[in-house]
Amino acid sequence: MSLPRGWTIAELGSISTKIGSGATPRGGQSSYATVGIPLIRSMNVHFGGFEHEGLAYLNDAQAQALEGVTVRPNDILLNITGASIGRVCLAPDTMSGGRVNQHVCIVRLVEELLPTYVEKFLASSEMQRWILEENYGFTRQALTKGMIEQLAIPLPPAPEQRRIVAKLDALFARLACARAELIRVRDLAEHARMRARASAFSGELTRPDRKGQDADWSDRKLGDVADVVTGSTPPTAEKERYFGGEVPFFKPTDLDAGYFVETPRETLTADGAKRSRVVPAGSTLVTCIGATIAKAGFARVACAFNQQINAAIPRAELVDAKWLYWATISPQFRSAIIANSSATTMPIINKGRFQSLRLRIPPLWEQEIIVERLEGIHTRADRLEAEAARARALLDRLEAAILTKAFKGELVPQDPNDEPASVLLQRIRAQRAAVRPVEKGRRRVPSQAPG
């Protein structure tokens, strides 16, 4: 790796006074106290910041057993196992005196170095890629203490470290503002959808089409304008006979597709369809049990569905098929489902109650206008949300590019008057040698940065 003038490569172990992880107290989750000494776990370590939610606490005896991994402000916290391997942040002042478990490693630098610089390097895409590729795990990813000690850090002079961190902080603050605005765009898009649906089924959306007249809509039960069918699942003990055919078989998760439910995760054979319930394309499917109660989808294909779903097959002379779908996802109808569900450990609305829910039914001509307007509003909101998502992805790429430039020495100018990092490293080694003998037998690796 070609380094800028005044830079050097240092192994992380050579510039740290502590590298080590802790343990989980015997008894695990059930042994944690409700107050006491904080125990930092992998869920608390996130890129760019520490997450206080989900903190565990230790009693005095448990904390005493982990005294060797006591956290200090500005310690680098690095996740070293599992799906969150590589996530890194600085320990905040509020965690001073806390402990870490076996999934989190404390990296404490010598006083002459800037922890924020090293933390940001560990968070860079090159370093993260190296961690994911080089960890020793097979069934579970993990970094050993030896691997962490031998991580190669491109080290600029101390004043340049401060300039780099200051520049990164300024740029990342601007990126954070941009991300916040893009999240606001997403929220505004969802608000526009919700407001349009509420307006459509209160009669306000089509008031101009009625020349300002109040809505003269009929009040009907769902069962008066649609045939309601509860789904069923064929016997799973005979999978080869009943599953894997040509008939789409939908479950509540499939309804995430919303207005375009057409591609199933599972299918039924002809025999399986006979053991289930098949409804025509244009039916509205509504989850009527569980945490996702009231979630709805519009079936674009003839399909079967499981017992958690009720289907409403519209009577064409009374309601437009697409209008019925939009009606079921209106705030008014969703609230009615939840209000009429049984108050048990799992919310449920049975077929009888479901088909007794009431709808205000406009004339067919007005239903068609409502469908057209809602489709247009949702299409524009979807497009706006997609553009915001693409912009967020570009910000992620920009952040990665900024970090790459920073650790190549291309983000801030070099100052020839800065003390070279190699001199700083020699001073650190001399100070260590004066305190204790150099350890023998430590395995060396080539002095080059990962990635």
Side-chain angles (χ1 to χ4, degrees):
M1 178 180 179
S2 177
L3 293 172
R5 181 179 178 180
W7 289 44
T8 191
I9 291 290
E11 290 183 7
L12 190 53
S14 70
I15 56 174
S16 301
T17 61
K18 181 175 186 60
I19 294 179
S21 58
T24 296
R26 184 174 298 177
Q29 187 81 27
S30 61
S31 71
Y32 295 146
T34 54
V35 295
I37 305 298
L39 177 67
I40 297 169
R41 300 177 288 172
S42 56
M43 67 178 66
N44 305 120
V45 179
H46 289 265
F47 293 116
F50 185 87
E51 176 58 64
H52 287 79
E53 186 175 349
L55 268 176
Y57 293 91
L58 305 176
N59 59 39
D60 290 342
Q62 292 169 329
Q64 182 66 31
L66 291 174
E67 188 175 10
V69 285
T70 300
V71 175
R72 297 179 186 174
N74 284 325
D75 278 350
I76 298 170
L77 304 176
L78 175 66
N79 284 355
I80 58 174
T81 66
S84 64
I85 189 170
R87 286 201 315 221
V88 60
C89 70
L90 295 183
D93 291 347
T94 55
M95 288 298 102
S96 181
R99 310 291 195 265
V100 296
N101 73 1
Q102 69 273 24
H103 305 299
V104 180
C105 181
I106 294 172
V107 178
R108 185 174 300 146
L109 302 179
V110 298
E111 291 184 1
E112 292 89 342
L113 295 179
L114 195 60
T116 310
Y117 172 84
V118 176
E119 178 246 347
K120 291 184 184 301
F121 174 72
L122 293 175
S124 67
S125 57
E126 288 83 357
M127 192 68 238
Q128 288 293 307
R129 184 164 51 248
W130 185 90
I131 288 173
L132 290 175
E133 291 174 354
E134 299 299 327
N135 71 84
Y136 79 87
F138 293 98
T139 58
R140 183 177 178 84
Q141 296 176 315
L143 292 172
T144 66
K145 180 179 180 180
M147 295 173 71
I148 297 167
E149 288 176 334
Q150 296 178 56
L151 291 178
I153 309 295
L155 200 63
E160 190 172 345
Q161 292 178 41
R162 292 190 287 272
R163 292 197 296 273
I164 289 172
V165 168
K167 185 69 172 180
L168 288 175
D169 285 344
L171 292 173
F172 286 176
R174 294 168 66 180
L175 291 178
C177 289
R179 285 193 177 95
E181 288 301 310
L182 291 172
I183 290 173
R184 184 169 172 268
V185 168
R186 181 190 65 193
D187 293 341
L188 288 172
E190 181 56 23
H191 179 70
R193 296 186 192 100
M194 293 290 291
R195 185 174 58 186
R197 294 200 293 265
S199 174
F201 295 97
S202 69
E204 288 302 310
L205 187 66
T206 47
R207 181 181 287 275
D209 302 280
R210 298 192 306 272
K211 303 187 185 308
Q213 299 298 313
D214 291 337
D216 185 19
W217 296 1
S218 61
D219 184 83
R220 307 285 292 272
K221 293 179 181 178
L222 174 62
D224 292 338
V225 297
D227 297 316
V228 175
V229 178
T230 301
S232 63
T233 300
T236 55
E238 300 182 67
K239 272 201 172 281
E240 290 187 2
R241 179 180 178 185
Y242 295 129
F243 292 87
E246 300 295 327
V247 180
F249 181 66
F250 293 123
K251 298 179 181 179
T253 50
D254 295 300
L255 304 191
D256 291 339
Y259 202 32
F260 298 94
V261 177
E262 54 191 340
T263 305
R265 295 175 175 85
E266 201 165 7
T267 57
L268 302 180
T269 64
D271 284 343
K274 292 175 183 177
R275 296 295 298 267
S276 186
R277 310 272 168 71
V278 177
V279 296
S283 299
T284 291
L285 309 178
V286 183
T287 303
C288 288
I289 183 173
T292 58
I293 191 169
K295 181 167 65 173
F298 185 67
R300 299 279 173 162
V301 292
C303 61
F305 45 97
N306 76 1
Q307 61 276 11
Q308 294 175 278
I309 295 173
N310 280 330
I313 308 167
R315 296 173 188 163
E317 70 277 11
L318 297 174
V319 290
D320 178 87
K322 292 181 177 179
W323 178 89
L324 184 59
Y325 164 75
W326 289 112
T328 61
I329 66 169
S330 68
Q332 297 92 325
F333 194 79
R334 286 175 59 86
S335 296
I337 290 177
I338 294 169
N340 284 274
S341 62
S342 299
T344 61
T345 54
M346 181 178 293
I348 181 171
I349 183 168
N350 61 32
K351 178 182 175 181
R353 286 188 178 183
F354 181 69
Q355 62 188 6
S356 294
L357 297 178
R358 305 196 75 84
L359 289 166
R360 294 180 66 225
I361 313 294
L364 284 170
W365 68 265
E366 197 168 350
Q367 293 179 31
E368 292 174 1
I369 293 174
I370 289 171
V371 168
E372 182 181 1
R373 299 251 170 91
L374 287 177
E375 286 180 339
I377 291 168
H378 278 66
T379 296
R380 289 192 293 274
D382 291 346
R383 187 181 302 120
L384 186 63
E385 202 169 59
E387 289 172 355
R390 285 193 291 271
R392 288 198 301 273
L394 288 174
L395 288 180
D396 291 341
R397 290 170 56 186
L398 177 58
E399 182 175 294
I402 290 171
L403 286 171
T404 297
K405 287 177 68 69
F407 300 114
K408 287 183 177 179
E410 299 173 357
L411 189 64
V412 298
Q414 278 79 49
D415 186 340
N417 296 317
D418 288 342
E419 177 186 75
S422 58
V423 175
L424 170 61
L425 206 56
Q426 290 171 5
R427 187 163 60 250
I428 292 170
R429 289 171 181 157
Q431 290 170 352
R432 288 189 163 186
V435 174
R436 54 180 167 80
V438 176
E439 296 178 8
K440 296 181 179 180
R442 185 167 180 267
R443 185 166 60 89
R444 304 292 294 173
V445 295
S447 294
Q448 59 182 19

